[in-house]
Amino acid sequence: MKLFSLATLTALSLMMAGCDQSPVTSEAAEEAAYKSCNVCHGASGLGNRGMQAPSLVNLDDWYVERQLRHFKAGIRGRHSRDTYGMQMASQASLLKSDQMIEAVVRRINSFPDKSPLATIQADQESGQRLYNTHCSSCHGAEGKGNRELNAPSLRGIDDWYLVRQYDNFQQGIRGSHADDLYGQQMQQAAQVLSEQEMKDVAAWLISQGIDY
C-alpha cells in the first residue's frame, strides 16, 4: 500500500474541496449579483407591472448584457424624462465589474421562460401587417430577432413595455447618446408608427407566444 505524507493528503483534500465548492460558489455569485434586480423584477425575473419593471426571462442574453453595460456607462437611462431608465441606471451602477454583469445575465438566463399576459386590446391583424412592413427587416418575419443585425427578439416581451420603449425612441428619450449606435437606428425607425399602430404591433407580437 502506497503511503502519502500528511502534507500531500492535506493538499489533495483542499483541491477536492475546491472542486466540490466551485459550482456552489458560481451559483451563489449569480444569486448575489441578481439580488438588486430581485426587488423590482422578481425572484424569477417575471417583472412587476405595478413597479413598471418588465419581465426579463425572454430577453436575449446578449441584449441584456449590452443594456446593463449601457445603463452602467450612462449611455441609457440619463435622459431627464426617462424616470424608470434612471432607476435602472442607478441599480446598474451597483454592478462593479464585468464578472458581476455576466453573473446577472447567467442568473436571468437560468430562469424558465414564461409568456407574459396581454394587457393591450388592439387590432392584431393590423399589427401583423404593420410589423411586416416596418419591423421585420431587422427583427425577423416572426419577431425572433437577428443577432447579426444586433436586433433582439421581440417575442415574449411585455406589450406595455414595448409600447413605452417605442415611444421613448420616438421622443428621443432613448437612443440619443452618441455611443448608442443601435439605439440611434431604432430612434430613426420609430418615427413611423402612431401610438395606436404600435399598440397593434405589440398586441400581435405578444399573441405569438414564446414557443419557437
Side-chain angles (χ1 to χ4, degrees), residues 49-69:
R49 175 71 190 279
M51 300 185 74
Q52 297 295 306
S55 172
L56 304 174
V57 298
N58 302 313
L59 296 173
D60 291 313
D61 52 4
W62 57 267
Y63 178 76
V64 173
E65 180 173 346
R66 187 171 77 203
Q67 295 310 305
L68 285 174
R69 294 185 187 280

Side-chain angles (χ1 to χ4, degrees), residues 5 9 15 20 26 30 36 42 51-52 54 56-57 61 87 107 120-121 133-134 139 141 143 153 156 161 167 173 210:
S5 69
L9 290 173
M15 289 173 61
D20 289 342
S26 176
E30 292 169 14
S36 63
M51 300 185 74
Q52 297 295 306
L56 304 174
V57 298
D61 52 4
Q87 292 175 0
R107 183 67 173 172
I120 295 174
Q121 301 299 317
T133 301
H134 301 293
H139 293 280
S153 172
Y161 182 74
D167 182 65
I173 297 171
I210 58 172

Side-chain angles (χ1 to χ4, degrees), residues 62-193:
W62 57 267
Y63 178 76
V64 173
E65 180 173 346
R66 187 171 77 203
Q67 295 310 305
L68 285 174
R69 294 185 187 280
H70 280 191
F71 278 122
K72 182 180 178 182
I75 297 173
R76 182 178 173 189
R78 290 298 176 90
H79 195 285
S80 61
R81 292 166 57 196
D82 191 4
T83 303
Y84 305 112
M86 288 190 288
Q87 292 175 0
M88 262 302 306
S90 175
Q91 292 300 309
S93 69
L94 300 175
L95 303 174
K96 300 300 185 182
S97 65
D98 290 344
Q99 289 76 16
M100 289 187 72
I101 291 175
E102 292 162 4
V104 169
V105 174
R106 289 195 303 272
R107 183 67 173 172
I108 294 170
N109 204 37
S110 72
F111 297 144
D113 293 342
K114 183 176 181 180
S115 185
L117 297 175
T119 67
I120 295 174
Q121 301 299 317
D123 188 340
Q124 294 181 16
E125 290 185 7
S126 170
Q128 183 177 15
R129 288 193 300 270
L130 290 165
Y131 177 87
N132 289 336
T133 301
H134 301 293
C135 314
S136 61
S137 59
C138 291
H139 293 280
E142 297 178 312
K144 300 176 183 178
N146 186 329
R147 179 67 179 90
E148 293 182 357
L149 295 177
N150 282 281
S153 172
L154 302 177
R155 296 276 287 271
I157 299 178
D158 289 292
D159 49 10
W160 56 268
Y161 182 74
L162 281 177
V163 171
R164 188 174 80 206
Q165 292 308 306
Y166 188 88
D167 182 65
N168 281 354
F169 281 121
Q170 193 173 70
Q171 300 300 321
I173 297 171
R174 182 177 173 187
S176 293
H177 195 283
D179 293 331
D180 191 1
L181 174 62
Y182 306 112
Q184 292 173 19
Q185 293 175 357
M186 260 307 302
Q187 194 179 102
Q188 294 175 12
Q191 303 308 311
V192 178
L193 302 179

